Amino acid sequence: PFLQTATLEVLGEKYATAKKWLKVFDVTGRLVLEKQFSSPLVQIEREILSSGIYYWKLTTKTETLGKGKMVVE
C-alpha cells in the first residue's frame, strides 16, 4: 500500500531509455492514469487516485514489461 507516491523501476539495459507506458486501471477496468516515460523510474502520485485497489500495466511499443495490483490508502 502507499499513501503519497509509489515508484516503479524498470530493470534491464535494453529498456533504460526506451519509451515506456504505465497504465493504471480501477477495479472496473476503467483507465484512470496513463503516463509515458523514458527513464528507468516512473512515479505515481497518490493525489490523483482515490483510496482503493488498482491494476497497473507497464509496456513498451511492442511488449508488456510487467503488470500487477496496488493498494492506495
Side-chain angles (χ1 to χ4, degrees):
F2 72 93
L3 296 172
Q4 299 300 322
T5 62
T7 303
L8 295 175
E9 181 177 12
V10 179
L11 301 176
E13 192 173 315
K14 175 180 175 182
Y15 306 112
T17 59
K19 281 188 182 178
K20 296 170 281 293
W21 288 266
L22 171 68
K23 293 182 180 181
V24 178
F25 304 89
D26 65 15
V27 293
T28 68
R30 182 176 59 98
L31 180 66
V32 294
L33 172 68
E34 184 172 19
K35 288 182 114 176
Q36 181 182 345
F37 64 104
S38 55
S39 70
L41 300 174
V42 61
Q43 193 166 48
I44 303 167
E45 302 293 330
R46 191 267 187 248
E47 62 201 27
I48 62 170
L49 301 172
S50 301
S51 296
I53 296 173
Y54 294 88
Y55 298 92
W56 58 268
K57 185 175 183 181
L58 190 59
T59 62
T60 65
K61 254 186 171 176
T62 58
E63 62 187 300
T64 298
L65 303 177
K67 52 186 169 179
K69 179 170 70 171
M70 64 183 173
V71 176
V72 176
E73 293 185 339

